[in-house]
Amino acid sequence: AQAQAQQVQQQVQQQQLQQLQHGFQGGGPSLSASDAASDEPDADTSSASSASNASSPSATSSASATSPASATSVTSPASAASRGAAPDAGTTPPSGARSGARSGGAEGGAAEALEAVVDGMAGRVLLPLLRAGILSRPACAAGCTCSAPLYEAVATTPQHVALARAVAEASTVLLKNEQRALPLRRGAVVALLGRACSAHTPIDPARDAWTAGDYFVVGGTGRVAFRRDPTLASALRARGVTLHVSPTDRISPALRAMRQADVVVACGGATASESEDRPSLRLDQHDFLTQLGLLRTSKPLVVVALAPGAVLTDWATRADAVLLQFLAGQESGEALADVLTGAASPSGRLPVTLPLAEADTIPPCTESVCRYAEGLAAGWRGRVGRPVAFPFGHGLSYTSFGYEWAEEPPAAFPPGAGGRLELAVRVSAEEGPASGGREVV
């Protein structure tokens, strides 16, 4: 079956190559073997220009008259139908007949012009693929031989991993840090609570729906499948932190773990997917985190939220510190562990507004047709002058910063300023790990 699938795939690719080499049906340029193999820097430019010229009637008629292969090249059903031919005919009329059809009236001319535009657009995509030899390479057959190149290949490097970790660290947002609960003091015993801290079932692209996502990646075409354990529990263990883990969202085992620890770290998460709205802005562990806050003792409570966007944070009022991370990928746990232990300083700022209630946001739509009439009154623009949980741009740091004018600003715009005024501010690190602190002014 695999051999037959590969043979069919190769036949289809050969037909595509022949069609591209003989010219497009709308009068696109023919492509010789030497042109296909050309690696000259200006090859793309000239071909794109030629393809775009296919929309010109004169260029179209000229190409159809001088391209001997155009009368026998493969045509698409849509192209054949636009000329009144049977969709399954497989060939085009002789060039003379095609020229006659063009002069048959405004409707036929419009169809031919549209076809030429589409051919030009297709040419700008396909011709570079042909030059690179991509269309002539053996391809996998969907459902038969695509697993290895799509799902088993490791398309990363140590440099990529280091970059992913640095980005995850820098984008982690410290929403709250009362009594300097973070970073964790060295040697502290940690109760690590909640499924989102410990559980990770790797997405299997061959088994799971293409829209499946988790607390680390979004579902859909942007999804990345990885083998590495991205959880906070794994990363803290690797750093030698003493943990009492309750890997479920149940209160009873969580309370037992809390009694044996110096500080409590609880996690919650939510997932999101392309092509559909989230049904709620609540974390999956919203109720669990709320109960922990109500039952907490004098031990500091740190909440880590793994979110795909704006979430409700009712539980934050009873937490000493809150960290928020947005789908940070395979390095999520490593970045969070660095921030919790003080190896890195959080410097992220909220790219969204966190509302007080779902009623303050655009409601989710589950219909096939959704009407959005709010215009620009979305996100922070829709909450100007109204209370929110955490505003757009909010984010704290372990470093305290001081501000002063480098130059005292004028009381009014000076004459001739034209409405433009430059201000100079000096920012300095006053307290905390200055080497890792970043500030947005």
Side-chain angles (χ1 to χ4, degrees), residues 24 28-29 31 41-55 116-117 119-128 131:
F24 290 99
L31 183 67
D42 61 347
D44 286 344
T45 303
S46 59
S47 295
S49 300
S50 300
S52 63
N53 289 336
S55 60
V117 172
D119 284 345
M121 296 168 66
R124 287 189 286 274
V125 174
L126 296 176
L127 292 176
R131 288 195 185 89

Side-chain angles (χ1 to χ4, degrees), residues 15 18-26 67-76 83 89-93 98:
Q15 290 178 347
Q18 290 175 354
Q19 183 171 354
L20 285 169
Q21 290 170 335
H22 293 320
F24 290 99
Q25 299 306 315
S67 176
S70 62
T72 58
S73 58
V74 179
T75 183
S76 67
R83 288 189 294 270
T91 59
T92 61
R98 294 172 64 199

